[in-house]
Amino acid sequence: MSKSENIVISVKNLSKSYGELDVLKKIDMDIYEGQVVTIIGPSGSGKSTFLRCLNYLETLTDGEISIFGNTLVGPKESKQAAKDNEKVAKEIRKNVGMVFQQFNLWPHKTVLENVIEGPVQIKKVKKEEAIKKAEELLEKVGMKEKAGALPTQLSGGQQQRVAIARALAMEPKAILFDEPTSALDPEFVNEVLNVMKELAKEGMTMIVVTHEMGFAAEVSDRVCFMDGGYVLEDGTPDEVFKNPKTDRAKQFFSKILNV
Amino acid sequence: MEEFLRIAEITIPLLMQGLVVTIEISVLAIIFSIIVGFLICCMCLSKNKLVEAIARVYIKIFRCTPFMVQVYLAYYGLPSLGLKVSAFWIGVAVMSAYNAAYIAVIFESGIRSIPKGQSEAAAAIGMGYFKTLFRILLPQTVGVIIPPLTGQFLQTVKDTSILSIITVTELTMMTKKAIGVTFAPLFVYLLAGALYWVINIGIEMVTKKIEKKNKLLSI
Ligand SMILES: Nc1ncnc2c1ncn2[C@@H]1O[C@H](COP(=O)(O)OP(=O)(O)OP(=O)(O)O)[C@@H](O)[C@H]1O
Ligand SMILES: [Mg+2]
C-alpha cells in the first residue's frame, strides 16, 4: 500500500469542534512519503475541515499533527500552545501546498505574478530565477502561453492549473487538494486531473478530497471514506470500493454510482 | 467698475492667504487621517478582543459627537492639560482624529469585502499578516474604497471652514474678514465658494486617476 516506509504526515487523535458541533472525532492517520490518499464522503462529513487542520487554516480542538517533523498540538487550555502552533504552521506551510476548490488565484496579479509571489516574497528567491522556474511550471501545466493573462481571463480549468503551478512553485513536499475539480464545468475536469496524475507519477505526496471516484480508483494508493467526523474506511481503492466494511460506505457508493 | 476693482483688490489677497491655510490643513489632515484610520482599521480586524474593543470605542466617540464640539473641546481642553499648541495644529489634530474614524470604517468594510479564500491562499504559501494585507488584500480593495474615500476627503476640505471658530485663519475666516472691510458679502462668498470648489475638483481628479490606474488590475 505504501510506496515508502517513511511516515511524513502523522495525525493522532485529532478532534475539531465548532462550538457544540463536533466535526472531526479522534482521527488517526499516518501517511507515507509519496502516497496519494483520496478522501471521499458525503457533504458535511468533515473532509475539508480535516485538510484545513493539516496546514492550520483551522485550529485543532484536540490531538496532534506531525508533518515533516513539525508538530501542531491541540491547545486545550494553554494559550502558549496556540502561539507555538502559529510558528509551527509557518514551517508546515513551507513544505505543504494547498489547492482550493475555488482556485483562489489573486485577481490583481497576472498568472506569472501569482506563481512567483511565494518564491520571491516568502522564499526570497531572486526574481529572474523565480520567473524562470515559474515558466517551467506553467509549461508543465500547459499554461505557459497565458503567463501574462489575468485570472479573470481564464477558464476554471486553466485557473486551477495555474493554482497548481502556484503551489508547486514553493517546492512543497506534499500537496493538499480540496475538491480541485468540483467548481469546474465537466469539460475542464480532465485537464486538471491529468496534471494531478502527472504529479502522482512523479512521487508527490498528495491528499486529495474529491468526488471523482474514477480518479480515486485509478490514481490513489489509498482511499479514506469519512462520515460524521470519523474515518470509516481506510484501505486500497480495491478494498474500499469493492469490499466496504461499513453500511454507511456501501450506502454512499450505491448512491453515487447510480447517478 | 472702480468700486468692483477696489473690492477685488482687498478681497483676493485675503482669500488667497486663507486658501493656503485651508489647503495646508486639508492635506495634513487627509494624510494623518489615512495613517491613523488605517491603524484603527487594523485594530478592528485584530483577533485580540481588547484591541478591537478600543478601536470600536474610538470610532463610536468620534463619529457620534459633533465635529464642532470636538473642536471646542480640543481648543479649551488641551491648554488646560498644559499643552501649548497653536490653533492651526489643534485644527489639524482634531480633523485627523475625526476623519480617521470614518476612514477606518471605509478601510475595514473594503477589506472584509474580499473573499476569505484570498487570504487563505496567501496563508497557505506561508505569507504573514502584513504581506497579506499590503500585497493581497489592500490592492484588491482600491476599486471599492476609492469612491467613499473621495467623499470623505471632500468633506474634510469643507469641514476646515468650521475651524474658523477657533481663530484658525483659513478660508472662511478670511472671507468674513474681507466682508468686514468691503461690505460685499455676495461677491466675497461667491469667490470663497468657488475656491472650495476648485480644491475639491482637484481632489476628485487625483482620486479618479488612481482609480483608473487600478481598474486595469482589480476585478
Ligand atoms: N467555520 C465554521 N464554523 C462552523 N461550522 C463549520 C465551519 N466550517 C465547517 N463547519 C461545519 O463543519 C461540518 C463539516 O464541514 P466540512 O466543510 O469539513 O465538510 P466537507 O466534508 O468538506 O463537506 P463538502 O463535501 O460539502 O465540502 C459541516 O457541518 C459544516 O457546516
Ligand atoms: Mg469541503
Side-chain angles (χ1 to χ4, degrees), chain A residues 129-145:
Chain A
E129 250 171 76
I131 290 175
K132 212 169 132 235
K133 181 84 198 297
E135 281 170 346
E136 281 168 30
L137 288 170
L138 288 172
E139 173 106 65
K140 179 175 178 160
V141 300
M143 290 296 297
K144 194 174 175 200
E145 67 284 9

Side-chain angles (χ1 to χ4, degrees), chain A residues 18 21 23-24 41-50 58 101 178-179 209 211, chain B residues 116:
Chain A
Y18 294 106
L21 180 70
V23 179
L24 300 177
S43 183
S45 56
K47 307 181 297 294
S48 295
T49 306
F50 175 69
E58 302 289 343
Q101 181 175 353
D178 191 1
E179 301 200 29
V209 173
H211 293 296
Chain B
K116 226 176 135 206

Side-chain angles (χ1 to χ4, degrees), chain A residues 61-77:
Chain A
T61 305
D62 198 3
E64 226 177 82
I65 300 174
S66 282
I67 300 189
F68 301 105
N70 300 299
T71 305
L72 296 163
V73 291
K76 292 174 198 136
E77 278 90 45

Side-chain angles (χ1 to χ4, degrees), chain B residues 20-166:
Chain B
V20 170
V21 175
T22 288
I23 291 177
E24 282 171 355
I25 293 181
S26 300
V27 169
L28 288 168
I30 286 173
I31 291 171
F32 289 140
S33 61
I34 289 174
I35 296 169
V36 177
F38 182 69
L39 292 177
I40 300 284
C41 161
C42 288
M43 290 171 74
C44 286
L45 297 169
S46 166
K47 278 186 208 143
N48 186 323
K49 289 276 172 278
L50 178 68
V51 172
E52 186 192 345
I54 293 170
R56 299 267 173 235
V57 169
Y58 176 96
I59 291 171
K60 280 236 152 45
I61 290 174
F62 280 95
R63 286 213 309 175
C64 300
T65 56
F67 179 60
M68 205 188 270
V69 171
Q70 293 171 23
V71 172
Y72 274 130
L73 271 175
Y75 186 63
Y76 293 112
L78 290 182
S80 75
L81 293 174
L83 281 165
K84 274 216 182 98
V85 193
S86 69
F88 177 91
W89 285 105
I90 288 177
V92 170
V94 181
M95 291 229 74
S96 304
Y98 171 78
N99 281 296
Y102 286 88
I103 286 174
V105 174
I106 294 172
F107 274 134
E108 191 198 352
S109 57
I111 287 172
R112 286 197 195 274
S113 74
I114 307 296
K116 226 176 135 206
Q118 288 292 311
S119 49
E120 283 180 351
I125 60 165
M127 196 177 273
Y129 179 81
F130 284 101
K131 281 212 162 140
T132 303
L133 197 56
F134 282 102
R135 299 191 58 83
I136 306 300
L137 300 178
L138 278 176
Q140 293 187 57
T141 64
V142 171
V144 190
I145 65 175
I146 287 279
L149 276 182
T150 306
Q152 195 58 41
F153 297 157
L154 302 188
Q155 193 61 45
T156 306
V157 172
K158 292 186 281 181
D159 283 347
T160 55
S161 66
I162 291 176
L163 299 180
S164 60
I165 62 174
I166 57 165

Side-chain angles (χ1 to χ4, degrees), chain A residues 25 32 37 39 64 68 79 90 92 98 121 139-140 146 171 176 179 184 201 209-210 222 233-234 244-245:
Chain A
K25 297 161 188 166
Y32 295 85
V37 182
I39 299 178
E64 226 177 82
F68 301 105
K79 278 229 167 99
K90 278 227 155 134
I92 288 179
M98 189 169 209
Q121 295 296 326
E139 173 106 65
K140 179 175 178 160
K146 295 280 186 188
E171 301 180 319
L176 313 172
E179 301 200 29
L184 300 179
K201 253 192 237 155
V209 173
T210 187
R222 176 176 174 189
E233 306 275 342
D234 184 350
K245 290 184 279 242

